[in-house]
C-alpha cells in the first residue's frame, strides 16, 4: 500500500506531495539528469557486483576448506562464520569504522567494498556448506581412484555438486549488498555514497519527488526480473 | 565519480604477500596429492575474518575500556549508568550528592527493549496466522499472500519507510482522507506508535518466513493422523501444528527482535527525534559527538545483551532447525 502511493506520487507533476497536479514524467527526467543519483547508482551496482564476485570465490573456497577440516578447527571456523550474522548491523558497521579509523585508512569506495565482502562471505559459506554435507563423500574418492588428479576432481566433481549452493549464495550476497544501508553508512565517506546512504541524507532534508521516481523504477525492474526468472523456471519444468 | 583509492602502502603490501602465500600454499598442497590439505582453501577467508571481524571486535573492547588518552578505565560504563557522572566530577564531591543520577542512557535502553518487545509480539500475533494461511495447501489464497509479503521486501527498506511518511504526514494521505470525511486532523507522525508501525511493517516478513518454512516442511500426515485419532481441528492446531513449528517461531523472534533493538533509521524518520532508541544513541555518540569510547561501551553492552538473548533462544532450539531463511 505505501509502495503504491509512492509509485503514484512519482507521476505527480507538482513538487508537493499533498497535491495532485496532473500526470507527468517530469521527475523521471530529473532522475536521469541528477548526477548524484546516477553516481550513487553506479557505486551501488559496482560495489554489489564486485562484492558478490569476490565473496563468492572467497566463500566457496572457504566452505571447501572448512568442510575438509578436522572437527575441532571446523567448529571454530563455523562459530566465526556465524558471528557476523548474530551481530547487529550497527555493531558490524561501527567495528569496521573503528578499524579504518585506527589504521588511518580513509573511508571511501574501497572500505565500503571491503565491508560488503565481510558481511557477504559468511552467507555464501552458509549456503554452500549444506550442499557439501549432502554430497556423497565417496564420489570424490571414486574420482581419485579412477585416476583424476585432485585438481581435476575438485573442478569436475566437487564444484558442480555444490553449484546450486554457490548460485544461491551469490544471489543472496548480491541482494544483501544492494539493500545494505547501516554498514555502508559507517564505512563510507560523504563523498562516496551508494543509493541507501544517498536516500538517507535526502530523507533528512525532506523527500524529493525524484526519489519516488527512483523507487518506482527500482520496484518495477525487480518485478520484471523476477517474472522473467519465474517464467524460465516454469519453461524448464 | 570519486573513487578515492587511498589505501596506505602497507595495505597493498599485506594484500600482495597474502595472495602470494595463498597461491604457493595451494600449489604445494596440490603437488603433494593430499586431499586433506584442502583445508588450506579456507586460509584467505580466515585471514579476512581475523582482519575484518575479530580485530574490529577487539577494537570495540579496547575503546570501551579506555579513555581518550588510551588509559584503562571503567568511566565509559559509569557514564552509561549515570549520564551526569561527568558533571559530578567537575563540581567535586561535596556537590555531587545534590545532582541526581542522569538516566537518559538507561531509559533509552529500556525504551528500545520495550519497543522491540512490542514489535516482536505484534509481529508474532499477526504473522503466525498469516504463515498458517500461506502454508495451507488447500487455500488458493496462500500463494498470493506469499507474494504480498515478498514483494515489499524487494524495495530498499529506507524507501519503504519513507513511503510511510507520505501516508502519515500532517498533509499526508490519511489526514487528507480524515479532512475529507469531516474529521479533525490527527498527529500521526513523530511519536512512538508511528515508529512501532514502521518497525512492524519492515520486520514482519522476518517473522512470517521462518514460521512459514517450518510449517510447510511439516509432514501433513501428522495432522491428518491427529484428526483421525479424534482431535478437533483446534486441538490439532494447538497440540500438533504449533509445537512442531516452534523452531520457526524462535528463529522468527530472533530475526525480528535483533534488528528492532538496533534500528536507527526508522526512529529517525518516523519518530523525528522525539523517540530515541538505542541504535540511535550509539550512532549519535559516534558520529555526532565523536565520542568513540562512550559509543564503544554502548556497542559492547548491546553485543552482550544480544549474545545473552541468543543463548537463551539457542537453549529452546538446540539444533537450530528453525534457521530457515527466505
Amino acid at each position: 500500500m505505501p509502495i503504491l502511493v509512492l509509485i503514484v506520487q512519482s507521476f505527480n507533476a507538482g513538487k508537493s506531495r499533498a497535491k495532485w497536479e496532473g500526470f507527468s514524467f517530469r521527475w523521471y527526467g530529473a532522475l536521469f539528469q541528477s548526477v548524484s543519483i546516477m553516481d550513487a547508482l553506479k557505486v551501488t551496482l559496482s560495489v554489489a557486483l564486485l562484492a558478490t564476485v569476490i565473496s563468492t570465490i572467497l566463500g566457496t573456497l572457504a566452505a571447501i576448506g572448512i568442510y575438509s577440516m578436522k572437527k575441532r578447527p571446523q567448529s571454530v571456523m563455523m562459530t566465526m562464520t556465524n558471528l557476523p550474522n548474530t551481530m547487529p548491523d550497527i555493531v558490524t558497521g561501527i567495528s569496521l569504522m573503528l578499524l579504518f579509523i585506527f589504521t588511518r585508512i580513509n573511508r571511501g569506495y574501497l572500505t565500503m567494498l571491503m565491508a560488503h565482502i565481510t558481511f557477504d562471505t559468511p552467507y555464501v559459506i552458509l549456503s554452500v556448506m549444506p550442499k557439501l554435507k549432502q554430497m556423497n563423500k565417496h564420489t570424490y574418492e571414486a574420482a581419485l581412484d579412477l585416476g583424476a588428479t585432485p585438481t581435476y576432481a575438485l573442478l569436475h566433481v566437487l564444484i558442480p555438486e555444490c553449484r546450486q549452493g554457490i548460485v544461491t549464495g551469490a544471489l543472496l550476497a548480491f541482494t544483501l549488498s544492494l539493500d545494505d544501508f547501516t554498514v555502508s553508512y559507517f564505512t563510507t565517506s560523504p563523498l562516496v555514497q551508494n543509493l541507501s546512504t544517498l536516500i538517507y541524507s535526502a530523507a533528512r532534508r525532506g523527500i524529493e519527488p525524484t526519489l519516488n521516481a527512483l523507487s518506482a523504477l527500482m520496484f518495477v525492474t525487480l518485478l520484471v526480473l523476477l517474472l522473467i526468472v519465474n517464467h524460465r523456471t516454469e519453461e524448464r519444468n | 565519480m570519486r573513487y578515492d583509492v587511498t589505501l596506505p602502502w602497507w595495505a597493498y603490501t599485506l594484500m600482495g604477500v597474502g595472495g602470494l602465500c595463498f597461491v604457493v600454499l595451494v600449489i604445494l598442497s596440490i603437488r603433494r596429492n593430499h586431499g586433506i590439505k584442502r583445508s588450506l582453501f579456507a586460509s584467505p577467508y580466515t585471514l579476512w575474518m581475523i582482519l575484518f571481524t575479530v580485530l574490529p571486535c577487539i577494537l570495540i573492547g579496547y575503546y570501551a575500556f579506555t579513555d581518550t588518552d588510551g588509559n584503562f578505565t571503567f568511566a565509559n560504563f559509569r557514564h552509561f549508568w549515570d549520564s551526569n557522572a561527568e558533571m559530578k566530577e567537575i563540581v567535586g564531591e561535596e556537590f555531587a550528592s545534590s545532582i541526581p543520577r542522569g538516566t537518559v542512557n538507561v531509559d533509552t535502553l529500556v525504551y528500545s527493549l520495550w519497543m522491540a518487545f512490542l514489535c516482536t509480539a505484534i509481529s508474532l500475533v499477526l504473522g503466525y496466522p498469516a504463515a498458517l494461511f500461506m502454508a495451507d495447501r488447500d487455500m488458493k489464497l496462500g500463494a498470493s499472500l506469499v507474494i504480498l509479503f515478498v514483494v515489499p521486501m524487494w524495495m530498499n527498506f529506507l524507501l519503504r519507510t519513507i513511503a510511510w511518511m507520505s501516508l502519515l504526514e500532517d498533509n499526508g494521505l490519511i489526514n487528507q482522507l480524515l479532512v475529507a470525511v469531516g474529521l479533525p486532523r490527527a498527529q500521526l507522525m513523530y511519536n512512538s506508535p508511528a515508529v512501532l508501525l514502521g518497525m512492524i511493517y519492515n520486520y514482519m516478513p522476518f517473522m512470517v518466513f521462518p514460521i512459514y518454512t517450518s510449517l510447510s516442511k511439516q509432514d501433513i500426515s501428522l495432522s491428518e493422523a491427529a484428526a483421525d485419532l479424534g482431535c478437533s481441528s483446534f486441538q490439532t492446531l494447538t497440540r500438533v501444528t504449533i509445537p512442531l513449528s516452534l523452531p520457526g517461531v524462535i528463529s522468527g523472534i530472533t530475526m525480528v527482535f535483533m534488528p528492532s533493538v538496533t534500528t536507527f533509521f526508522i526512529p529517525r524518520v518516523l519518530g523525528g527525534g522525539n523517540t530515541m532508541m538505542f541504535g540511535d544513541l550509539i550512532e549519535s555518540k559516534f558520529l555526532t559527538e565523536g565520542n568513540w569510547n562512550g559509543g564503544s561501551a554502548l556497542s559492547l553492552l548491546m553485543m552482550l545483551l544480544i549474545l545473552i538473548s541468543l543463548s537463551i533462544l539457542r537453549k529452546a532450539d538446540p539444533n537450530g532447525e528453525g534457521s530457515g531463511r527466505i
Side-chain angles (χ1 to χ4, degrees):
Chain A
M1 169 71 182
I3 291 167
L4 274 183
V5 173
L6 227 138
I7 293 177
V8 172
Q9 293 273 4
S10 72
F11 289 108
N12 188 351
K15 194 169 169 69
S16 138
R17 256 168 300 156
K19 262 182 273 158
W20 176 256
E21 293 172 23
F23 182 87
S24 96
F25 281 111
R26 179 180 154 199
W27 301 118
Y28 287 88
L31 174 68
F32 286 106
Q33 273 154 20
S34 156
V35 182
S36 59
I37 291 183
M38 290 328 265
D39 268 1
L41 189 66
K42 273 183 221 154
V43 170
T44 311
L45 286 179
S46 62
V47 165
L49 221 64
L50 280 174
T52 306
V53 171
I54 297 174
S55 63
T56 308
I57 295 170
L58 208 64
T60 310
L61 283 177
I64 295 173
I66 294 171
Y67 173 69
S68 33
M69 274 176 182
K70 294 199 183 86
K71 190 123 200 204
R72 198 61 192 262
Q74 191 175 37
S75 70
V76 172
M77 288 299 284
M78 283 321 277
T79 320
M80 205 161 82
T81 306
N82 277 317
L83 188 72
N85 297 345
T86 51
M87 262 193 329
D89 274 358
I90 189 167
V91 175
T92 314
I94 278 172
S95 62
L96 284 167
M97 185 179 79
L98 279 179
L99 176 77
F100 295 137
I101 289 172
F102 192 74
T103 50
R104 295 179 211 293
I105 295 176
N106 287 335
R107 280 174 291 154
Y109 185 83
L110 269 181
T111 49
M112 185 166 33
L113 180 62
M114 286 194 245
H116 279 228
I117 295 170
T118 309
F119 71 74
D120 279 347
T121 315
Y123 284 100
V124 176
I125 295 179
L126 289 179
S127 49
V128 175
M129 270 314 253
K131 291 279 166 238
L132 280 173
K133 280 190 178 146
Q134 276 168 25
M135 195 184 87
N136 190 340
K137 268 183 199 157
H138 304 302
T139 336
Y140 181 76
E141 285 161 21
L144 290 184
D145 286 347
L146 290 172
T149 61
T151 328
Y152 187 88
L154 178 77
L155 288 177
H156 293 263
V157 179
L158 220 57
I159 302 266
E161 280 277 349
C162 49
R163 183 189 289 143
Q164 227 185 358
I166 297 173
V167 172
T168 321
L171 282 177
L172 202 60
F174 190 70
T175 357
L176 282 171
S177 179
L178 272 190
D179 211 39
D180 171 71
F181 160 68
T182 317
V183 177
S184 315
Y185 177 66
F186 286 109
T187 51
T188 188
S189 70
L191 294 179
V192 184
Q193 293 203 310
N194 70 359
L195 277 179
S196 300
T197 54
L198 184 81
I199 292 166
Y200 177 69
S201 48
R204 299 181 88 178
R205 276 182 268 122
I207 321 160
E208 287 159 36
T210 40
L211 283 184
N212 290 342
L214 176 73
S215 41
L217 267 188
M218 273 164 72
F219 184 68
V220 172
T221 320
L222 272 169
L223 197 72
V224 170
L225 263 178
L226 264 136
L227 283 179
I228 292 170
V229 170
N230 262 345
H231 190 67
R232 282 186 47 150
T233 42
E234 265 171 35
E235 261 182 6
R236 214 175 282 163
N237 293 339
Chain B
M1 202 167 2
R2 286 156 290 230
Y3 289 106
D4 46 350
V5 189
T6 48
L7 289 187
W9 60 270
W10 50 264
Y12 291 109
T13 323
L14 198 73
M15 278 193 253
V17 172
L20 212 68
C21 283
F22 175 59
V23 170
V24 169
L25 280 174
V26 167
I27 289 173
L28 276 181
S29 75
I30 287 170
R31 276 285 159 80
R32 283 210 204 130
N33 247 9
H34 285 314
I36 308 159
K37 287 284 181 211
R38 264 187 302 145
S39 53
L40 280 177
F41 281 9
S43 52
Y45 171 70
T46 318
L47 191 70
W48 187 277
M49 289 311 266
I50 288 173
L51 270 181
F52 291 102
T53 306
V54 180
L55 197 63
C57 284
I58 294 171
L59 271 182
I60 284 194
Y62 168 76
Y63 275 109
F65 285 107
T66 49
D67 57 19
T68 39
D69 302 323
N71 300 318
F72 179 83
T73 172
F74 281 114
N76 299 311
F77 293 97
R78 225 168 24 239
H79 289 175
F80 165 75
W81 179 247
D82 180 357
S83 54
N84 287 342
E86 217 161 336
M87 214 197 307
K88 282 184 189 170
E89 279 158 26
I90 295 169
V91 296
E93 275 188 20
E94 27 190 328
F95 298 108
S97 52
S98 59
I99 300 174
R101 186 170 73 86
T103 55
V104 187
N105 297 325
V106 182
D107 285 351
T108 311
L109 180 61
V110 172
Y111 175 71
S112 330
L113 287 177
W114 173 239
M115 289 287 274
F117 170 75
L118 278 181
C119 172
T120 317
I122 296 173
S123 299
L124 182 62
V125 169
L126 294 177
Y128 199 92
L132 264 181
F133 272 120
M134 278 156 61
D136 196 335
R137 290 173 190 90
D138 302 332
M139 290 263 220
K140 280 273 182 286
L141 206 70
S144 39
L145 249 178
V146 174
I147 294 172
L148 205 68
F149 271 101
V150 171
V151 165
M153 300 263 297
W154 298 339
M155 195 105 135
N156 191 305
F157 98 104
L158 293 113
L159 287 172
R160 258 183 282 155
T161 313
I162 289 171
W164 271 109
M165 268 174 92
S166 51
L167 279 175
L168 297 176
E169 272 178 328
D170 283 352
N171 284 322
L173 224 74
I174 292 175
N175 265 326
Q176 281 181 30
L177 266 180
L178 283 180
V179 171
V181 187
L183 290 163
R185 279 168 197 276
Q187 170 74 37
L188 296 169
M189 276 232 316
Y190 307 130
N191 49 27
S192 303
V195 176
L196 194 60
L197 179 77
M199 273 166 35
I200 294 169
Y201 176 74
N202 272 312
Y203 299 133
M204 177 96 101
F206 296 134
M207 180 64 89
V208 174
F209 282 108
I211 299 177
Y212 169 68
T213 22
S214 77
L215 278 176
S216 53
K217 266 195 286 188
Q218 247 172 55
D219 193 349
I220 199 165
S221 48
L222 284 174
S223 46
E224 279 170 2
D228 286 347
L229 293 171
C231 275
S232 69
S233 55
F234 181 72
Q235 274 174 325
T236 317
L237 183 72
T238 50
R239 297 272 175 87
V240 179
T241 313
I242 291 183
L244 281 175
S245 66
L246 271 185
V249 173
I250 286 164
S251 121
I253 290 175
T254 348
M255 285 174 73
V256 173
F257 190 77
M258 267 195 8
S260 34
V261 180
T262 60
T263 178
F264 72 92
F265 177 71
I266 297 171
R268 269 295 153 76
V269 170
L270 293 176
N274 293 338
T275 51
M276 187 77 158
M277 296 205 24
F278 206 55
D280 232 350
L281 193 68
I282 293 180
E283 192 259 3
S284 60
K285 270 267 183 309
F286 271 100
L287 296 183
T288 318
E289 292 178 31
N291 181 355
W292 299 331
N293 304 99
S296 299
L298 292 183
S299 312
L300 202 67
L301 277 172
M302 177 139 87
M303 272 159 80
L304 267 181
L305 205 80
I306 276 166
L307 280 181
I308 291 167
S309 51
L310 272 185
S311 58
I312 293 171
L313 284 169
R314 280 277 156 73
K315 271 206 182 118
D317 176 24
N319 302 324
E321 281 170 43
S323 54
R325 280 187 63 90
I326 318 118

